[in-house]
Amino acid sequence: MGLEDKLRLLEEELARTQKNKATEYHIGLLKAKIAKIRRELAAPKKAGTSSVGFDVKKTGDATVVLIGLPSVGKSTLLNALCGTKSKTAPYAFTTLNCIPGVMEHKGAKIQILDLPGIIIGAHEGKGRGREILSVARSADLVLIVLDVFQPAILQKIKEELWEAGIRLDEEPPKISITKRARGGIEISSTVPLTHLDSKMIAAILGEYGLHNAIVVFHEDATVDRLIDAVVGNRKYIRSLVVLNKVDMVTEEYLAKLNFSYLPVSAEKGTNMDRLKEEIFARLQLIRVYTKPRLDRPDLSEPLMLKVGSTIEDACKRLHKDLLSQFKYALVWGKSAKFPGQKVGLSHVLQDGDIFSIIKKQ
Ligand SMILES: Nc1nc2c(ncn2[C@@H]2O[C@H](COP(=O)(O)OP(=O)(O)OP(=O)(O)O)[C@@H](O)[C@H]2O)c(=O)[nH]1
Ligand SMILES: [Mg+2]
């Protein structure tokens, strides 16, 4: 039996199994087995085989992908945000490739990637599903674009993203797993565990060949979160749901929808400024400034970094040779204990900071 067939059987079994106290353990194991096969299926087939993915180069300060069914208005939206000319048409599958645009906002250059429409089953490779989802995995923000007449598809799209290992608006699991040579599984936690017991934890780890490890929980993890921590190749990405073509419906229609979304009309340009603002806010960019030695900092040209970025991240963005020449940095602003604090590469910068890089002589 091939992996795909095994996966199907396990998924069917999971769907069949009633959720209750008595089946909890069985369900946990099924989920672990499913996640393991999915990981194997997602792994690149063979080294050296030519890539069939979209050839997109990341540029700018952050990358946003547009994900949605065919014809929901992704390309129209890209054009409205970036002033690009991605082809739009009233029929499905107009866009067959990955089309990049750049949206400028508050000094940030944000790359927006327009993709072909995804269809249900994308994570299994339907349409160009795998390639689309792999572009999404590398994004900083997933913009889910819905057609005003098909709002219910949101759940399906989220499922597709989930199956592809994308975790929207979640933090990575606070679970540390350290392998060791012997001694079995040792479990400790800093919070009460209400979803997992030691038998379940050992069974899930065992599914991944981990029989000797120290596991520390800093959160009340579910089976899914533990599996995510073990599998390890998950992407934790923020998202924003956009409901497009609202020019075609009434206020009353919109009021009946009970999920959170930003209503827009890409064609009429409605709410485009708000959308730009929401994208910018969700990317959590900070602005930092460089100050050449003795000079005044150049406040007109901020460097945009993701929140949590370090001096090392800043160096990489400034110049490719800077890291090898790095001696130390001086920092002024919120992250500095005092003005001009001397710091190393791992120092975390904050919005508005000014820094100088001192090179080796
Ligand atoms: N009424 C209305 N029509 C829109 C709006 N945005 C897009 N459309 C129309 O919807 C159709 C599809 O738009 P596209 O931008 O090509 O959709 P897409 O999501 O890129 O489609 P694929 O590339 O096939 O996946 C076109 O006929 C657009 O003119 C909108 O805000 N309001
Ligand atoms: Mg398109």
Side-chain angles (χ1 to χ4, degrees):
M1 191 169 20
L3 279 180
E4 314 248 352
D5 295 326
K6 267 193 206 156
L7 180 61
R8 194 151 311 122
L9 287 180
L10 288 166
E11 280 176 334
E12 281 166 17
E13 191 177 342
L14 181 62
R16 262 202 321 269
T17 310
Q18 291 268 345
K19 255 193 192 168
N20 59 47
K21 206 79 200 138
T23 57
E24 241 175 31
Y25 180 74
H26 183 59
I27 289 178
L29 260 187
L30 281 176
K31 284 183 167 177
K33 287 196 163 90
I34 288 170
K36 192 169 162 227
I37 296 183
R38 282 218 184 100
R39 182 172 69 173
E40 282 169 38
L41 285 173
K45 291 285 174 287
K46 234 187 281 159
T49 50
S50 70
S51 147
V52 285
F54 297 116
D55 197 11
V56 276
K57 190 170 175 294
K58 277 200 173 193
T59 63
D61 302 310
T63 301
V64 179
V65 292
L66 305 181
I67 296 287
L69 296 187
S71 283
V72 296
K74 299 178 296 300
S75 300
T76 312
L77 195 59
L78 176 87
N79 297 344
L81 290 172
C82 306
T84 44
K85 295 264 181 303
S86 187
K87 188 179 171 197
T88 67
Y91 47 82
F93 297 110
T94 307
T95 309
L96 298 172
N97 230 311
C98 180
I99 315 283
V102 177
M103 172 188 117
E104 296 203 21
H105 191 72
K106 290 187 170 164
K109 286 188 173 54
I110 297 163
Q111 182 182 43
I112 311 234
L113 299 178
D114 178 23
L115 287 161
I118 66 165
I119 53 178
I120 301 314
H123 72 278
E124 293 165 344
K126 299 220 174 88
R128 293 189 74 182
R130 282 225 179 92
E131 293 128 280
I132 295 170
L133 291 165
S134 101
V135 176
R137 277 175 63 91
S138 71
D140 302 301
L141 178 72
V142 172
L143 211 69
I144 300 178
V145 187
L146 300 176
D147 183 295
V148 77
F149 294 118
Q150 292 170 292
I153 211 72
L154 174 60
Q155 213 40 49
K156 293 271 179 227
I157 291 178
K158 284 190 168 171
E159 278 166 28
E160 291 293 330
L161 294 165
W162 201 89
E163 309 289 14
I166 296 169
R167 299 291 173 266
L168 297 178
D169 309 303
E170 259 185 49
E171 295 297 323
K174 294 191 201 59
I175 306 170
S176 87
I177 301 171
T178 316
K179 284 186 213 170
R180 57 180 178 176
R182 58 184 70 80
I185 303 284
E186 184 183 312
I187 301 160
S188 64
S189 63
T190 56
V191 292
L193 298 180
T194 63
H195 308 284
L196 295 165
D197 59 18
S198 54
K199 188 180 161 206
M200 175 82 98
I201 295 166
I204 289 173
L205 293 181
E207 198 54 50
Y208 289 84
L210 281 169
H211 301 290
N212 298 292
I214 298 174
V215 189
V216 186
F217 289 86
H218 299 281
E219 67 171 49
D220 182 15
T222 57
V223 164
D224 289 329
R225 296 274 291 169
L226 176 59
I227 292 172
D228 282 349
V230 179
V231 175
N233 68 342
R234 306 308 193 210
K235 295 286 183 185
Y236 297 85
I237 309 176
R238 301 188 135 227
S239 73
L240 174 62
V241 177
V242 169
L243 190 66
N244 189 32
K245 311 193 188 181
V246 294
D247 53 288
M248 299 175 81
V249 297
T250 60
E251 292 281 341
E252 292 76 61
Y253 175 93
L254 291 179
K256 288 198 197 106
L257 302 176
N258 58 350
F259 59 96
S260 113
Y261 61 85
L262 182 70
V264 304
S265 167
E267 202 160 80
K268 304 268 183 296
T270 315
N271 254 349
M272 287 300 114
D273 287 338
R274 232 185 105 193
L275 176 55
K276 286 183 185 178
E277 195 50 52
E278 293 267 349
I279 290 174
F280 184 81
R282 266 161 226 247
L283 286 170
Q284 293 188 295
L285 296 171
I286 60 167
R287 269 165 281 202
V288 297
Y289 305 86
T290 56
K291 172 175 141 54
R293 244 184 155 167
L294 306 175
D295 280 357
R296 286 164 157 274
D298 182 359
L299 297 179
S300 68
E301 268 215 36
L303 178 64
M304 293 276 180
L305 297 173
K306 279 160 209 152
V307 81
S309 291
T310 58
I311 292 281
E312 179 171 354
D313 298 318
C315 285
K316 282 184 188 157
R317 283 282 297 280
L318 287 170
H319 194 278
K320 65 176 169 48
D321 296 329
L322 206 47
L323 269 187
S324 59
Q325 300 163 345
F326 182 87
K327 193 165 165 203
Y328 60 89
L330 301 173
V331 182
W332 291 260
K334 276 188 236 159
S335 79
K337 289 202 188 96
F338 51 86
Q341 187 194 350
K342 188 169 158 179
V343 299
L345 285 173
S346 61
H347 180 81
V348 176
L349 290 161
Q350 288 194 35
D351 191 35
D353 279 357
I354 296 168
F355 64 95
S356 289
I357 303 293
I358 312 301
K359 295 183 197 169
K360 290 179 199 149
Q361 292 305 320

